[in-house]
Amino acid sequence: MSGQPGRTLVTGASSGIGLELARQLAQAGVPVLALGRNVERLQALQKAHPLVDTTACDLRDVAALPGLAALWAARYPDLGCVIHCAGVQHNLRLDAVDYGAANVRAEVDINLVAPMVLTQALLPHLLAQQQALVVHISSLLAYVPKSRGAVYSATKAGLHLFGDALRVQLQGSGVRVVEAVMPMVDTPMTAGRGRNKLPAAEAARQIIAGLATHKSRLWIGRACWMPVFLRLAPGLLARAMQQD
């Protein structure tokens, strides 16, 4: 990937888009630090790609992230890109009987709090690089929510605004903040839902290609129509998002 700064840390790298990002970056010659919770999948990834180092990490343990970030920065001085890809979505209404406070907390911690804390912890290291990247894997639901995903939508909206605020704070530095807005992608998280889903491998390919364009916001797959619909037909877009 042209202009890719150093080693790339990818969260959620044991499945879905994160796994494909780790694979494709390594195949392109980019060293990767892959984080995930599934140890067996991480081991298989590392075995298949010599440029990939892996670490089992549960992002729900937010308090542990600053210490881990310090270890990673010391171990990998070439670390220059962080891709926040890990995510969890419970496809349920907020009043569903089997959706409790622990589920809400897990979604918020993994989708929003962990990226914030991890970015904060790694920021001094990233600012010391000539160029660096912080990439948020966002969603159409950050812009138009759906009824069976209130908390997920809220976390992605928060991640969107966090990225915008961080971009303003870092103006004039060598750290670039990018939001990649995804349509529904064919991953374990979306199994059994939706039609015409974007394959995870294609989503990863478009993200990597987009990072070389130096754009601050990447509209992936069918999400490329989002700016047009938001401007010309927001009501139609909102109704379409409720179909899932």
Side-chain angles (χ1 to χ4, degrees), residues 75-220:
R75 185 176 300 168
Y76 304 105
D78 62 338
L79 179 61
C81 178
V82 179
I83 303 181
H84 296 293
C85 193
V88 60
Q89 178 186 163
H90 296 282
N91 190 43
L92 297 167
R93 288 173 50 91
L94 191 63
D95 56 1
V97 294
D98 53 349
Y99 184 66
N103 303 115
V104 173
R105 181 62 183 268
E107 280 193 80
V108 174
D109 282 350
I110 292 172
N111 298 349
L112 181 59
V113 179
M116 288 179 168
V117 171
L118 190 53
T119 298
Q120 181 187 45
L122 288 171
L123 197 54
H125 175 81
L126 296 175
L127 285 167
Q129 312 302 308
Q130 285 191 336
Q131 60 173 341
L133 273 171
V134 176
V135 183
H136 298 142
I137 304 303
S138 183
S139 167
L140 289 174
L141 298 181
Y143 298 81
V144 183
K146 69 171 188 173
S147 61
R148 293 172 63 86
V151 175
Y152 181 84
S153 300
T155 62
K156 290 302 183 180
L159 193 63
H160 159 69
L161 287 177
F162 172 65
D164 281 357
L166 189 63
R167 191 177 298 112
V168 172
Q169 289 185 23
L170 296 176
Q171 283 181 352
S173 76
V175 180
R176 187 160 58 97
V177 181
V178 179
E179 177 186 14
V181 185
M182 315 303 296
M184 184 175 286
V185 178
D186 192 6
T187 69
M189 187 179 76
T190 66
R193 294 193 286 121
R195 295 175 297 173
N196 302 316
K197 292 183 282 190
L198 185 67
E202 176 60 18
R205 187 196 68 77
Q206 291 188 31
I207 292 167
I208 293 170
L211 293 177
T213 67
H214 298 282
K215 295 179 180 178
S216 61
R217 190 158 289 117
L218 308 176
W219 303 95
I220 304 301

Side-chain angles (χ1 to χ4, degrees), residues 22-100:
R23 284 174 174 164
Q24 293 182 31
L25 286 168
Q27 289 169 353
V30 178
V32 174
L33 173 58
L35 309 184
R37 283 189 287 172
N38 190 306
V39 176
E40 291 183 357
R41 291 179 186 169
L42 289 176
Q43 289 175 341
L45 175 64
Q46 187 168 9
K47 184 177 180 180
H49 301 283
L51 284 178
V52 176
D53 285 352
T54 63
T55 298
C57 177
D58 189 342
L59 296 179
R60 292 173 299 184
D61 188 3
V62 173
L65 293 179
L68 291 171
L71 290 175
W72 297 329
R75 185 176 300 168
Y76 304 105
D78 62 338
L79 179 61
C81 178
V82 179
I83 303 181
H84 296 293
C85 193
V88 60
Q89 178 186 163
H90 296 282
N91 190 43
L92 297 167
R93 288 173 50 91
L94 191 63
D95 56 1
V97 294
D98 53 349
Y99 184 66

